[in-house]
Amino acid sequence: MSESSGMTAVTEVSRRLAPAWLLLLAISNPSSAQSDANGPRTWLEEMSQAMQSLNYDGTFVYLHDGKLETMRVIHRADQDGERERLIALTGVPREVLRDDNSVTCILPDQKTVMVDKSLPRKPFPASLPRNLAALQSNYEFRMAGDDRITGRDAKIIEIYPRDKYRYGYRLWIEKAYKILLKFDLIDPHGKALEQTMFTQLDLPARISDKALEAGISGEGYTWHGDVRRASSDATPADRTNWQLGWLPRGFMLTHHNRHQMPVRRGSAEHMVYSDGLATVSVYFEKLLPGKEILQGVSNMGTVNAMGGVVDGFHATVVGEVPAVTVEEIGKGISLRR
Amino acid sequence: MQGLATISHKQWEREIMSDKLKEQVSAFVDGELSAAEQRLLLANLGRDPELKRSWRNFHLIGAALRDQLPECLDAHLAERVSTAIARDAASASGGSRSYRNWQGLLKPVAGFAIAASVAVIAVLGVRHFEPGAGQGPVIATAPVTSPERGYVRVGSGDRESRSTRTADYLSRYLVSHNEYAASSGMRGMLPYVRIVGYDSGN
């Protein structure tokens, strides 16, 4: 078989399997695809759209700190909105249920149920159309070839951080339906820090209510949080006496409010800063006798947190950013006098 | 590693420590002392350098039995505690209210500047077992009195249970943070993977 007829065969397969616009991608130059309709931005937007609007039921693995956890996710999107259920298949059968009103975390090992208000999800990346230039000063977007995951063809998109204060991402996006098949959190050198990958995936036309209900009753568990109260309590805040002396380049305040914390007593002043991809929360809570507080830098996989006491308040900086970032932000916190 | 070889049961026996106190220290490490008993014990520890050393060795033996000794040991812990307490007492009277606390947290000799002298020892007893001393987290309970100035560590210094405890603690913040992060930033496969998957194998 000659080289040219091989090419034709590939094109034929593409024509049958993929939407017409994919052909356009094949002839566009990937390296100059930054603002291109078929560049990384389009892929990311379509992926985000797909993850919110499709029904899917799949098993995936989560690899972190040398450990491998297996989970199942069931996601339904219809006229009633989005519903999602996440179940641990290995170890303790923890579950998270999410709909348009609330997030419920069932933790059998702690005999605890945490309920919090859910927030509407903007199509990702919400900041891209507005702040593409700003985002590109902190990240480099690359098309990184093709791959196959769980029998499905995928496009690889890489997002490299330009400094040490944020992580990068490597995404495998399914070509036909734009489902995110694999997701790596990477360091500035491209080394994977944490990986999530579907090992089996179905896109059923219908998903029953039952499949989205918790497998654990939560009876006899301690319940924390009240959605109605939480939502009425989340009051926007426009004034604060706290000041942050340092933030990584490109981070801007995206939310600022006061609300109840799941499990914890008392309310918190909560500020959210984002560079469009990475997000850091800063919580200020009044110190109360007997209340558990975090002191120093701590982590949960690639999520880092820093806790400390300033002027009778406990401040917590938390986010999916490197330890140095929460540490530097924490060091810069002070009370305006 | 030379410090490790010298810690033996013989040496433990040589340490001067009454059975009663030994029992109390053991109970404290296991988190079984009442608040009043803790205060009394900590006050004794704060006063007695001999007892402080015993306290430290007690922890080392416990860690050795659990095969959790840190890679390097700080032989001058007791001295650092004394220095820190002295400094704490000196700085408690005045000084700026703002940055001091945070800066204290970031040094290996963390927490001294803010902690009341008795509580300092409790925190250190645990910190000593952190891999890379001073880097690790300490989850503390704000004490009943003087909430601005002290930490009392509860529970044992067991690394595995502490890592699970840290994960449990952080997941409370993550439930709140995730919603905000997912509403505007990169949300990956699923923002809640960490809460469901973290340490579920333990």
Side-chain angles (χ1 to χ4, degrees), chain B residues 10-11 24 34 52 62 90 93-94 96 99 109-110 119 130 134 147 162 187 196-197:
Chain B
K10 246 184 194 166
Q11 187 172 6
Q24 282 207 319
S34 73
K52 253 183 275 181
S93 49
S96 134
Y99 296 98
V109 201
E130 293 293 350
R162 208 168 55 251
R187 53 178 162 263
V196 171

Side-chain angles (χ1 to χ4, degrees), chain A residues 288-307:
Chain A
L288 295 172
K291 193 167 171 175
E292 264 197 334
I293 54 174
L294 174 75
Q295 185 192 359
V297 178
S298 171
N299 79 301
M300 187 170 168
T302 50
V303 167
N304 280 287
M306 158 103 176

Side-chain angles (χ1 to χ4, degrees), chain B residues 9-155:
Chain B
H9 276 280
K10 246 184 194 166
Q11 187 172 6
W12 172 243
E13 291 302 321
R14 280 204 299 274
E15 293 289 343
I16 299 156
M17 198 179 191
S18 76
D19 284 341
K20 176 94 173 76
L21 272 173
K22 232 190 265 185
E23 249 175 57
Q24 282 207 319
V25 169
S26 164
F28 181 78
V29 171
D30 293 331
E32 287 162 1
L33 281 193
S34 73
E37 287 171 321
Q38 278 181 24
R39 269 199 297 279
L40 193 67
L41 178 67
L42 288 168
N44 280 329
L45 281 168
R47 272 197 296 270
D48 186 353
E50 195 62 37
L51 204 53
K52 253 183 275 181
R53 268 199 295 281
S54 306
W55 164 267
R56 171 175 160 238
N57 288 347
F58 182 91
H59 271 296
L60 285 176
I61 290 164
L65 290 174
R66 290 190 299 267
D67 200 18
Q68 285 172 348
L69 280 173
E71 279 171 39
C72 63
L73 292 172
D74 181 0
H76 304 292
L77 181 73
E79 285 86 333
R80 278 168 45 193
V81 172
S82 311
T83 318
I85 290 172
R87 202 174 58 209
D88 184 44
S91 66
S93 49
S96 134
R97 288 197 300 160
S98 62
Y99 296 98
R100 190 158 53 90
N101 297 344
W102 280 98
Q103 282 165 347
L105 293 176
L106 297 170
K107 292 170 191 145
V109 201
F112 293 140
I114 46 170
S117 54
V118 287
V120 162
I121 297 154
V123 171
L124 274 177
V126 172
R127 288 214 151 206
H128 200 59
F129 297 103
E130 293 293 350
Q135 291 294 307
V138 173
I139 294 175
T141 307
V144 180
T145 53
S146 169
E148 302 81 359
R149 317 193 54 231
Y151 295 94
V152 175
R153 162 79 183 156
V154 287

Side-chain angles (χ1 to χ4, degrees), chain A residues 21-185:
Chain A
W21 63 265
L22 259 182
L23 293 175
L24 287 173
L25 184 80
I27 55 169
S28 73
N29 178 2
S31 63
S32 68
Q34 214 61 268
S35 55
D36 192 306
N38 299 306
R41 178 178 153 188
T42 309
W43 279 91
L44 292 172
E45 282 169 354
E46 288 180 344
M47 178 273 288
S48 162
Q49 176 79 37
M51 297 307 277
Q52 283 179 271
S53 61
L54 292 179
N55 286 351
Y56 48 87
D57 181 345
T59 304
F60 64 94
V61 289
Y62 169 45
L63 181 65
H64 67 98
D65 306 313
K67 286 184 196 160
L68 188 73
E69 320 279 1
T70 309
M71 286 177 239
R72 180 180 174 195
V73 62
I74 306 168
H75 179 270
R76 182 175 81 184
D78 57 20
Q79 66 280 3
D80 298 328
E82 267 188 273
R83 274 182 79 178
E84 193 172 279
R85 179 178 169 211
L86 182 64
I87 315 136
L89 298 179
T90 48
V92 180
R94 296 182 175 186
E95 282 197 37
V96 173
L97 307 164
R98 188 184 184 282
D99 61 26
D100 294 333
N101 298 313
S102 64
V103 181
T104 306
C105 304
I106 306 171
L107 312 172
D109 43 337
Q110 300 168 45
K111 290 252 172 219
T112 295
V113 177
M114 289 191 278
V115 185
D116 204 2
K117 185 178 71 113
S118 63
L119 292 176
R121 292 186 174 169
K122 295 174 197 141
F124 167 85
S127 53
L128 273 180
R130 272 203 327 273
N131 289 327
L132 188 62
L135 210 48
Q136 280 177 343
S137 71
N138 295 313
Y139 295 96
E140 186 191 345
F141 292 77
R142 293 180 201 166
M143 298 298 293
D146 303 87
D147 201 356
R148 261 168 76 80
I149 305 278
T150 181
R152 292 168 185 268
D153 286 322
K155 205 75 182 162
I156 307 172
I157 316 278
E158 289 178 336
I159 307 174
Y160 279 86
R162 293 194 200 270
D163 62 29
K164 62 175 179 179
Y165 297 114
R166 53 207 111 211
Y167 295 128
Y169 312 90
R170 188 177 294 123
L171 304 97
W172 282 253
I173 301 175
E174 211 244 5
K175 288 183 180 176
Y177 296 97
K178 305 300 183 300
I179 291 264
L180 183 59
L181 293 175
K182 185 168 185 240
F183 180 74
D184 287 0
L185 205 68

